[in-house]
């Protein structure tokens, strides 16, 4: 029985409505408990901020596309290397760090749970092999299911319950956590080099529309009682004028909401909040998007904030990546996956001097600040699409400090600066709100019960930062806060101190979460899938699902479906 | 008797996973669905194997216990200043992961066989990227298949049947029937040729299609296959048409096609030995297909021009995407050479030629690649896993391997193992040990254990794990 007590910290635990109260946090055997014995090991956190471990709802850290990105960019690695130490493995960093480095760097910032949002089901084995080599954090992955032939056919034919059962099978087969939808219908069309351009475009050969796919999978999600909502990357991503598509996407499931529970998560919203008819007239759709979200409770978002940096874009949105390649002429990887999805990679540099890039930078922050309820908008960069996750402390500084925003604003493209809504926004997020957008809100949107809070029974994943809220005005001294968020004073994972003063002191491996849905018709499903297997894929049925023994520290979350 | 289905074949990059094995008394007696190459492996793998660890003592290889061999291997690695660990494309990803950990521990240079096969292709990908797909995508959709300087008929025998011309997909079907009727034509021509040889004592010369332009069959609304190569292969016989390029002119041909598909004009009569009119027709074919794919082989990667050739081929593919959908894929040889690039990349950021001697990954092919390090005689010890560099490297490099301590983890007797100071024969992964490997299109599949290994054999992964442990012990004792 190992015990630990964190003493006298200022605790920010929004899920339990604790806002900077000075209190002790007791830990026993990896869980938060009421109290521990006197002689328990203690951490003196006086003058420091104590928060639940950071949670990232959307970060590309493992699997086929991430690794092709690594292979594509030796020039990205050379300047940023990690030397092997007695405790840690070596690696490379910058925009797409190697696996070990990814785990260490997140942990050093106080993060403890990561969601890999893009997993081609056929290549799930690859994703999980890499996740096993990412130390320090718990993790999970979302299989790409929006263009899966079974989804398209079932939903077209009105077979929602069948589709639900098939998706339950798929979550188990790929050890997945949530239903990921990327440019619904567009990826199937991309198989022949085409795309869809609105929610009501018909997907070639399948006679179904993106609207039907989204609604269908939203219903499936509900039937399966999945902890997270459908996780959607909208149609028309990255195109001027696409804020309309984003709003229509949210609207199209409005009637499927039950009470105040969200039914859709729109990811990296910044990339779908473009107003204007072309690049030269590009402006911010943040006002419209925020207005909609402020008036509706069925949706959560994450930012997809842009950082001025040289990064690597990667999504399952093959046609979008192709478009990016056309704009930049950069190197380009495309990877279409039979029966399921596609994917692309293009290196990309966001420049302050570019009107478009600077507007994108502004849009991300505008949305985060204009949406009143922080539980609805979570902090991400869509790593590495908007920029590498190591830039998170910069984003926090922009969110907590008007002054920080003004400094950057003064350095960006003039035209973008003139159009930016940021000068009109005074809001500065408090530590309590920052805790929501980086952990509590993320865990809540994910339905990940033991994470994102410090109540009794929660996993003892804790981050302690060297910020004294009684002395430090983070809005003015954002640089100090930024530094503190970059290097956690302590990171505690499952009750053990794993990072001290921003350095790894104990390497640990994390759990792999997946959703184990029980349905009433597993056998029929197996027969149906078996029958079509050789027709649809080039691998054998028996080699497709991952055996549990393959999953590193497998941690199934049992869920009972309505079908 | 037991039947085991869904077995993957640990031989070539086609990595078929539909093999059915019949096992009797721990022996594979039949391998259904496998091609001759695959069957030969399953049925004969154990014929000439080493079963017990060996160490060279006073010039003689003598049998030793596993512990002694492991200790000796560990000692060699600990004593070396700049060890090289090479091979990896014929083992499991699990073994490669452990291998990298060991390499990092001893500060080794980690390199794999792609350094001498598709290395130039990888450098091209790092230059320009690559538009590609999984093989099933091509089975379902490709209506134009090009094998360029690759001959799957002999190197990837089931590639065409499983993924391309003879496979059935959702939008495109097998062209088996039209092949059969063409085959009959070829047969009768061959008969004429044989007769002409006998009667006229000279070759009957039947005009190759290319000289008359393209055969009408390539304009049909079905899947079509084109072979481009320096010589007419069995694959070319099966294709709808064949273009013979003069050796060493692939680059010119690729560049000419780029000009043509971009609507440019060429002011010459022929390129690479092919008349310009024919090339124009070929360019039309490329532009007008629904989905085209180029499979290229070592003939393109290793011929004059090397990575320039691949750059040109990928750039042609990029250009074609302005007009239609076009993809490209290297025909990877060893069953897990794709996997070794993948694992190297996720752990170190780089796919091959990774120097860990400074405590962090450094990558500079041409400097940090096995052949170069050996040619400069810098490696003062070498560990080889499931590979035979002594037979395949340039003479100078092989000679230098032999000069220094050499560890071989390999069940087979090869020129490399014959020179080794320590030989640790492992269980055959994919037959006697399980694991993971990646098909040439990056699809991961399980390697299966279908029979028990000899009692004296551990898997590659276990052997590497033991060496790693021993290395750490020796290090601890030294401090
Ligand atoms: S084609 Fe290759 S993988 Fe398939 S059976 Fe033959 S040797 Fe084995
Ligand atoms: Zn993303």
């Amino acid at each position: 029985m190992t015990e630990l007590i964190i003493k006298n910290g200022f605790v920010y635990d929004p899920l339990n409505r604790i806002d900077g109260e000075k209190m002790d946090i007791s830990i026993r055997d990896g869980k938060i408990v009421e109290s521990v014995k006197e002689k328990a090991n203690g951490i003196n956190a006086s003058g420091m901020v104590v928060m639940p471990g950071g949670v990232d709802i959307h970060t590309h850290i493992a699997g086929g596309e991430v690794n092709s990105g690594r292979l594509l960019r030796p020039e990205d690695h050379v300047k940023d290397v990690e030397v092997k130490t007695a405790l840690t493995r070596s690696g490379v960093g910058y925009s797409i760090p190697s696996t070990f480095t990814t785990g260490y760097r997140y942990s050093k910032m106080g993060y403890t749970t990561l969601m890999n949002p893009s997993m081609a089901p056929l290549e799930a084995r690859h994703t999980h092999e890499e996740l096993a080599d990412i130390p320090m954090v718990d993790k999970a992955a979302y299989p790409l299911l929006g263009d899966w032939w079974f989804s398209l056919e079932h939903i077209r034919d009105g077979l929602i319950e069948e589709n639900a059962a098939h998706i339950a099978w798929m979550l188990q087969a790929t050890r997945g956590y949530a239903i990921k939808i990327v440019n619904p219908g567009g990826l199937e069309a991309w198989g022949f080099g085409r795309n869809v351009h609105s929610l009501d475009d018909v997907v070639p050969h399948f006679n179904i529309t993106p609207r039907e796919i989204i609604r269908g999978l939203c219903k499936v999600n509900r039937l399966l009682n999945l902890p997270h909502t459908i996780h959607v990357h909208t149609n028309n991503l990255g195109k001027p004028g696409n804020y309309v598509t984003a709003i229509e996407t949210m609207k199209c499931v409005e009637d499927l909401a039950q009470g105040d529970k969200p039914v859709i998560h729109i990811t990296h919203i910044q990339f779908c909040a473009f107003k204007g008819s072309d690049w030269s007239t590009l402006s911010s759709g943040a006002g419209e998007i925020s207005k909609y979200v402020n008036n509706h409770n069925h949706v959560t978002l994450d930012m997809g904030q842009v950082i001025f940096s040289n990064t690597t874009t990667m999504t399952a949105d093959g046609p979008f990546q192709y478009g990016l390649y056309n704009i930049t002429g950069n190197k380009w990887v495309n990877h279409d996956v039979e029966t399921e999805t596609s994917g692309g990679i293009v290196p990309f540099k966001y420049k302050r001097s570019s009107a478009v890039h600077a507007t994108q930078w502004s849009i991300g922050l505008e949305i985060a600040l204009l949406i009143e309820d922080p539980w609805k908008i979570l902090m991400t960069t869509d790593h590495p699409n908007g920029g590498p996750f190591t830039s998170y402390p910069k984003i926090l500084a922009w969110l907590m400090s008007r002054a920080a925003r003004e400094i950057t604003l003064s350095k960006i493209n003039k035209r973008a600066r003139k159009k930016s809504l940021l000068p009109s926004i005074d809001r500065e997020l408090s530590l309590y709100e920052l805790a929501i957008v980086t952990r509590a809100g993320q865990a809540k949107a994910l339905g990940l019960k033991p994470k994102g809070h410090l109540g009794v029974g929660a996993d003892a994943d804790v981050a302690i930062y060297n910020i004294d809220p009684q002395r430090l005005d983070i809005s003015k001294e954002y640089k100090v806060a930024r530094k503190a968020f970059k290097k956690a004073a302590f990171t505690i994972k499952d009750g053990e101190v794993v990072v001290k003063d921003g350095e790894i002191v104990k390497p640990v491996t994390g759990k792999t979460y997946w959703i184990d849905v029980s349905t009433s018709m597993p056998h029929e499903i197996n027969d149906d899938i078996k029958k079509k297997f050789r027709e649809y894929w080039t691998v054998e049925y028996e080699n497709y699902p991952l055996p549990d023994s393959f999953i590193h520290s497998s941690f199934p979350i049992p869920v009972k479906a309505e079908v | 008797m037991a039947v085991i289905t869904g077995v993957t074949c640990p031989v070539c990059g086609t990595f078929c996973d539909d093999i059915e094995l019949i096992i009797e008394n721990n022996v594979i007696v039949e391998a259904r669905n496998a091609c001759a190459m695959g069957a030969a492996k399953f049925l004969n793998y154990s014929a000439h194997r080493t079963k017990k660890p060996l160490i060279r003592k006073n010039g003689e290889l003598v049998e030793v216990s596993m512990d002694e061999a492991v200790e000796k291997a560990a000692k060699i690695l600990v004593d070396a200043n700049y060890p090289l660990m090479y091979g990896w494309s014929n083992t499991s990803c699990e073994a490669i992961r452990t291998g990298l950990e060991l390499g990092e521990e001893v500060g080794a240079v980690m390199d794999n066989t792609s350094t001498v096969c598709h290395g130039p292709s990888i450098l091209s990908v790092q230059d320009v990227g690559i538009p590609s797909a999984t093989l099933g995508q091509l089975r379902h959709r490709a209506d134009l298949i090009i094998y360029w300087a690759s001959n799957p008929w002999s190197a990837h025998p089931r590639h065409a049947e499983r993924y391309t011309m003879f496979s059935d997909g959702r939008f495109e079907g097998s062209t088996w029937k039209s092949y059969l009727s063409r085959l009959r034509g070829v047969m009768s021509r061959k008969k004429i040729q044989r007769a002409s040889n006998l009667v006229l004592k000279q070759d009957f010369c039947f005009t190759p299609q290319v000289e008359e332009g393209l055969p009408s069959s390539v304009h049909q609304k079905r899947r079509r296959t084109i072979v481009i190569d320096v010589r007419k292969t069995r694959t070319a016989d099966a294709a709808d048409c064949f273009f013979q390029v003069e050796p060493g002119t692939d680059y010119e041909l690729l560049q000419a096609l780029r000009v043509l598909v971009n609507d440019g004009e060429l002011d010459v009569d022929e390129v690479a030995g092919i008349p310009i009119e024919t090339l124009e027709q070929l360019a039309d074919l490329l532009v007008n297909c629904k989905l085209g794919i180029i499979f290229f082989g070592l003939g393109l990667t290793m011929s004059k021009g090397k990575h320039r050739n691949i750059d040109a081929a990928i750039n042609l593919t990029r250009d074609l995407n302005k007009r239609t959908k076009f993809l490209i894929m290297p025909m990877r040889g060893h069953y897990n050479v794709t996997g070794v690039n993948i694992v190297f990349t996720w752990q170190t950021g780089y796919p091959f030629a990774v120097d860990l001697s400074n405590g962090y990954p450094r990558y500079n092919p041409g400097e940090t690649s096995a052949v170069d390090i050996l040619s400069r005689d810098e490696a003062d010890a070498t560990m080889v896993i499931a590979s035979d560099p002594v037979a395949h490297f340039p003479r100078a490099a092989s000679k230098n391997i032999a000069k220094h301590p050499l560890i071989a983890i390999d069940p087979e007797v090869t020129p490399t193992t014959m020179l080794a100071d320590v030989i640790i024969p492992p269980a055959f992964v994919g037959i006697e040990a399980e694991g993971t490997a990646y098909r040439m299109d990056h699809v991961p599949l399980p390697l299966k254990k279908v029979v028990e290994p000899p009692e004296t054999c551990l898997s590659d992964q276990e052997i590497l794990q033991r060496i790693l442990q021993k290395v750490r012990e020796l290090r601890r004792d030294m401090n």
Side-chain angles (χ1 to χ4, degrees):
Chain A
M1 200 164 68
T2 48
E3 295 190 335
L4 184 70
I5 182 161
I6 304 165
K7 282 189 175 150
N8 291 321
F10 297 99
V11 175
Y12 291 87
D13 180 9
L15 276 165
N16 294 306
R17 299 210 166 71
I18 296 171
D19 183 4
E21 212 175 292
K22 201 171 195 176
M23 59 193 282
D24 298 346
I25 301 287
S26 301
I27 295 169
R28 182 183 310 123
D29 293 336
K31 296 276 178 194
I32 307 283
V33 292
E34 207 67 71
S35 62
V36 287
K37 291 198 202 77
E38 286 275 330
K39 51 182 198 306
N41 277 334
I43 290 179
N44 180 3
S46 58
M48 296 191 207
V49 158
V50 178
M51 289 185 180
V55 179
D56 198 333
I57 198 168
H58 191 111
T59 175
H60 300 255
I61 50 170
E65 67 181 6
V66 174
N67 207 44
S68 298
R70 290 189 192 108
L71 180 127
L72 186 67
R73 304 214 59 198
E75 75 281 5
D76 182 78
H77 315 318
V78 280
K79 281 169 280 166
D80 183 13
V81 296
E82 291 281 352
V83 179
K84 171 186 157 51
T85 70
L87 295 176
T88 58
R89 299 283 304 268
S90 70
V92 294
Y94 214 64
S95 72
I96 335 142
S98 53
T99 49
F100 303 116
T101 303
T102 300
Y104 301 142
R105 288 191 176 178
Y106 259 113
S107 187
K108 289 176 182 181
M109 298 193 307
Y111 273 74
T112 48
T113 305
L114 310 179
M115 296 282 150
N116 190 64
S118 185
M119 168 165 78
L122 179 61
E123 297 172 357
R125 213 173 267 272
H126 183 171
T127 305
H128 285 286
E129 274 203 294
E130 283 196 30
L131 289 179
D133 271 349
I134 297 182
M136 315 304 292
V137 289
D138 292 336
K139 48 241 159 178
Y142 314 153
L144 292 150
L145 295 169
D147 287 74
W148 183 31
W149 284 357
F150 279 96
S151 298
L152 301 182
E153 289 164 349
H154 286 142
I155 297 169
R156 175 196 62 201
D157 299 339
L159 305 173
I160 298 296
E161 296 198 347
E162 270 80 352
N163 192 234
H166 280 72
I167 285 193
W169 177 86
M170 199 51 133
L171 288 169
Q172 148 103 35
T174 63
R175 296 306 194 272
Y177 188 85
I179 298 173
K180 176 76 183 295
I181 306 171
V182 172
N183 185 6
L187 307 192
E188 165 49 39
W190 180 241
F192 284 119
R194 293 156 74 181
N195 198 358
V196 292
H197 303 283
S198 83
L199 281 180
D200 298 308
D201 252 13
V202 176
V203 182
H205 305 289
F206 282 86
N207 196 24
I208 186 173
T209 63
R211 182 188 303 278
E212 289 162 345
I213 299 172
I214 297 165
R215 285 182 61 81
L217 289 174
C218 190
K219 290 178 197 162
V220 163
N221 206 85
R222 210 170 59 190
L223 284 177
L224 293 180
N225 283 322
L226 299 183
H228 186 33
T229 61
I230 49 171
H231 195 98
V232 181
H233 159 139
T234 60
N235 300 110
N236 287 330
L237 189 110
K239 288 195 196 128
N242 66 4
Y243 81 96
V244 178
T245 313
I247 291 177
E248 270 183 39
T249 305
M250 295 187 266
K251 260 191 193 154
C252 93
V253 292
E254 234 178 79
D255 63 310
L256 299 179
Q258 291 170 314
D260 271 353
K261 238 185 131 234
V263 290
I264 189 168
H265 180 84
I266 307 279
T267 189
H268 37 69
I269 186 70
Q270 172 273 131
F271 290 105
C272 9
F274 297 175
K275 218 157 109 177
S277 50
D278 57 28
W279 292 115
S280 64
T281 56
L282 180 80
S283 64
S284 168
E288 288 79 355
I289 300 247
S290 325
K291 191 164 159 227
Y292 181 87
V293 176
N294 283 336
N295 287 311
H296 294 86
N297 291 329
H298 70 288
V299 39
T300 54
L301 311 174
D302 67 83
M303 288 168 73
Q305 176 62 30
V306 154
I307 306 291
F308 298 114
S309 62
N310 187 343
T311 192
T312 311
T313 66
M314 54 183 65
T315 68
D317 196 341
F320 161 71
Q321 298 289 157
Y322 175 70
L324 216 51
Y325 147 64
N326 269 335
I327 293 175
T328 60
N330 279 353
K331 35 191 181 182
W332 167 52
V333 170
N334 179 81
H335 185 66
D336 297 340
V337 178
E338 63 204 64
T339 312
E340 297 173 353
T341 181
S342 72
I345 304 159
V346 179
F348 199 86
K349 197 168 174 180
Y350 293 102
K351 298 187 221 93
R352 281 194 191 84
S353 57
S354 151
V356 171
H357 305 167
T359 302
Q360 285 186 270
W361 169 80
S362 185
I363 291 173
L365 295 173
E366 289 164 13
I367 295 182
L369 295 163
L370 289 173
I371 291 178
E372 288 147 14
D373 180 358
W375 295 95
K376 288 180 179 172
I377 173 83
L378 310 169
M379 195 273 287
T380 67
T381 58
D382 185 17
H383 162 81
N385 284 300
F389 66 84
T390 40
S391 324
Y392 285 174
K394 277 190 202 168
I395 304 177
L396 297 184
W398 289 321
L399 293 176
M400 69 177 82
S401 160
R402 202 191 141 99
R405 298 198 287 270
E406 263 158 17
I407 294 263
T408 310
L409 257 174
S410 71
K411 291 190 225 160
I412 65 168
N413 174 284
K414 241 204 221 144
R415 196 146 50 92
R417 184 164 65 226
K418 262 202 216 130
K419 285 192 205 168
S420 173
L421 308 178
L422 288 178
S424 66
I425 303 172
D426 288 327
R427 186 170 173 206
E428 295 179 324
L429 298 198
S430 64
L431 283 165
Y432 186 75
E433 289 173 312
L434 291 177
I436 295 172
V437 301
T438 54
R439 45 264 289 161
Q442 307 239 7
K444 186 173 178 219
L446 286 166
L448 203 47
K449 297 260 160 61
K451 301 294 181 188
H453 71 105
L454 298 173
V456 169
D459 286 352
D461 294 352
V462 190
I464 304 176
Y465 299 108
N466 219 327
I467 297 172
D468 184 341
Q470 284 185 339
R471 294 178 184 203
L472 193 82
D473 177 351
I474 56 169
S475 137
K476 287 205 186 72
E477 300 199 60
Y478 63 88
K479 281 186 189 156
V480 179
R482 191 170 67 197
K483 218 170 120 200
F485 281 118
K486 206 167 181 136
K487 288 189 164 212
F490 295 89
T491 305
I492 292 161
K493 180 85 196 70
D494 293 315
E496 288 186 291
V497 176
V498 294
V499 167
K500 210 176 158 206
D501 297 327
E503 296 303 328
I504 305 289
V505 292
K506 181 159 206 275
V508 293
T509 55
K511 302 184 270 293
T512 301
Y513 287 109
W514 57 280
I515 305 297
D516 187 7
V517 190
S518 54
T519 64
S520 58
M521 42 173 157
H523 297 297
E524 298 145 55
I525 297 316
N526 271 352
D527 288 347
D528 182 46
I529 291 183
K530 253 190 207 159
K531 221 170 58 217
K532 297 210 181 104
F533 217 85
R534 284 200 175 154
E535 215 179 290
Y536 280 18
W537 284 282
T538 51
V539 303
E540 295 292 297
Y541 171 78
E542 56 205 287
N543 291 329
Y544 192 94
L546 305 185
D548 212 41
S549 60
F550 189 81
I551 308 297
H552 192 69
S553 311
S554 173
F555 200 96
I557 298 174
V559 164
K560 185 138 179 28
E562 320 255 321
V563 289
Chain B
M1 195 189 87
V3 183
I4 304 183
T5 58
V7 178
T8 45
C9 171
V11 178
C12 84
T14 313
F15 203 34
C16 307
D17 75 328
D18 61 346
I19 312 298
E20 281 181 30
L21 297 177
I22 316 294
I23 316 271
E24 269 173 27
N25 301 323
N26 203 41
V27 174
I28 303 171
V29 294
E30 196 185 332
R32 296 179 187 153
N33 292 343
C35 69
M37 227 159 78
K41 172 88 176 190
F42 281 117
L43 299 176
N44 308 326
Y45 71 94
S46 203
H48 304 286
R49 75 189 299 176
T50 318
K51 284 191 188 149
K52 290 194 177 145
L54 302 164
I55 290 185
R56 196 173 295 276
K57 289 182 178 168
N58 306 321
E60 293 289 307
L61 283 171
V62 292
E63 277 184 10
V64 294
S65 68
M66 179 63 78
D67 285 345
E68 193 178 342
V70 163
E71 174 145 13
K72 176 82 183 159
K75 205 157 173 326
I76 290 175
L77 290 173
V78 168
D79 288 344
N81 281 319
Y82 195 58
L84 167 69
M85 292 170 63
Y86 177 81
W88 308 107
S89 53
N90 284 320
T91 188
S92 69
C93 294
E94 287 77 1
I96 298 163
R97 280 159 74 178
T98 307
L100 283 160
E101 195 172 355
L102 173 60
E104 192 182 72
E105 191 69 38
V106 299
V109 173
M110 301 294 294
D111 202 1
N112 55 65
T113 59
S114 45
T115 200
V116 289
C117 60
H118 273 289
S121 315
I122 294 173
L123 297 183
S124 283
V125 172
Q126 292 177 330
D127 271 359
V128 286
I130 185 166
S132 200
T134 65
L135 289 160
Q137 187 77 351
L138 309 167
R139 193 191 92 193
H140 285 304
R141 297 174 203 257
D143 64 338
L144 186 66
I145 291 150
I146 301 178
Y147 285 110
W148 194 310
S150 69
N151 181 14
W153 200 281
S154 65
H156 301 84
R158 295 185 66 210
H159 196 267
E161 158 211 331
R162 282 175 62 79
Y163 313 125
T164 64
M165 45 180 147
F166 303 139
S167 70
D168 264 314
R170 186 173 190 131
F171 305 107
E172 292 294 332
S174 165
T175 52
W176 183 243
K177 281 206 187 109
S178 60
Y179 166 63
L180 280 183
S181 61
R182 233 180 13 261
L183 199 62
R184 272 182 229 117
V186 172
M187 289 304 213
S188 51
R189 270 203 301 275
K190 280 206 171 139
K191 267 187 213 147
I192 297 172
Q193 179 147 1
R194 230 173 298 137
S196 113
N197 276 340
L198 282 174
V199 179
L200 305 171
K201 304 279 184 241
Q202 68 176 60
D203 269 358
F204 168 81
C205 178
F206 97 84
T207 334
Q209 291 120 331
V210 285
E211 285 184 14
E212 301 170 1
L214 269 50
S216 60
S217 67
V218 301
H219 299 298
Q220 284 171 9
K221 267 200 183 333
R222 60 160 175 83
R223 214 193 300 265
R224 290 135 308 152
T225 306
I226 294 174
V227 169
I228 302 176
D229 212 332
V230 292
R231 77 188 74 81
K232 193 158 193 202
T233 58
R234 290 291 296 276
T235 311
D237 285 334
D240 290 286
C241 78
F242 166 59
F243 291 88
Q244 186 154 14
V245 277
E246 286 168 3
T249 59
D250 292 287
Y251 182 75
E252 285 74 15
L253 181 56
L254 286 160
Q255 292 296 39
L257 283 172
R258 284 191 70 192
V259 172
L260 293 174
V261 305
N262 288 314
D263 291 331
E265 281 186 20
L266 287 171
D267 205 13
V268 286
D269 294 336
E270 54 164 60
V271 176
I274 301 168
I276 213 75
E277 296 76 42
T278 312
L279 278 189
E280 279 166 358
Q281 286 178 310
L282 175 57
D284 281 347
L285 216 58
L286 300 182
V287 168
N288 291 320
C289 71
K290 284 189 246 142
L291 190 159
I293 169 80
I294 299 171
F295 290 105
F296 64 94
L298 289 180
L300 198 59
T301 324
M302 282 299 159
S303 65
K304 185 182 150 221
K306 287 196 173 178
H307 117 240
R308 253 177 13 130
N309 290 348
I310 312 301
D311 274 3
I314 296 177
N315 278 325
L316 170 64
T317 313
R318 278 158 61 110
D319 293 348
L320 279 162
N321 277 285
K322 285 181 215 141
R323 313 289 293 271
T324 181
K325 178 105 182 187
F326 227 97
L327 304 166
I328 182 165
M329 192 186 301
M331 294 287 276
R332 306 302 304 268
H334 299 296
Y335 72 90
N336 200 24
V337 67
T338 307
V340 67
N341 294 146
I342 288 175
V343 181
F344 269 47
T345 303
W346 89 53
Q347 288 208 358
T348 72
Y350 308 111
F352 67 102
V354 185
D355 183 341
L356 296 169
S357 65
N358 292 336
Y360 62 86
R362 206 169 67 81
Y363 170 68
N364 190 16
E367 183 208 336
T368 57
S369 27
V371 173
D372 302 276
I373 285 168
L374 291 169
S375 303
R376 295 193 304 265
D377 197 15
E378 286 174 355
D380 55 352
T382 305
M383 174 186 248
V384 175
I385 295 87
S387 171
D388 186 11
V390 170
H392 296 121
F393 278 10
R395 270 269 304 278
S398 314
K399 239 175 65 198
N400 289 336
I401 295 184
K403 271 192 358 207
H404 306 281
L406 173 62
I407 306 156
I409 301 180
D410 199 330
E412 323 237 15
V413 180
T414 67
T416 303
T417 59
M418 286 191 312
L419 291 177
D421 301 287
V422 183
I423 302 171
I424 308 181
F428 275 89
V429 66
I431 296 176
E432 298 170 338
E434 57 180 22
T436 307
Y438 287 72
R439 205 164 71 180
M440 63 165 72
D441 58 350
H442 295 207
V443 170
L445 286 163
L447 291 157
K448 294 191 182 168
K449 174 178 175 175
V450 293
V451 295
E452 288 298 326
E455 262 171 40
T456 45
C457 296
L458 302 171
S459 71
D460 293 320
Q461 203 253 339
E462 290 165 315
I463 293 167
L464 291 161
Q465 191 63 49
R466 286 206 190 184
I467 297 176
L468 175 61
Q469 220 166 6
K470 199 77 214 171
V471 163
R472 287 187 174 146
E473 278 172 30
L474 291 174
R475 282 267 171 89
R476 218 175 23 241
D477 294 347
M478 273 154 54
N479 290 338

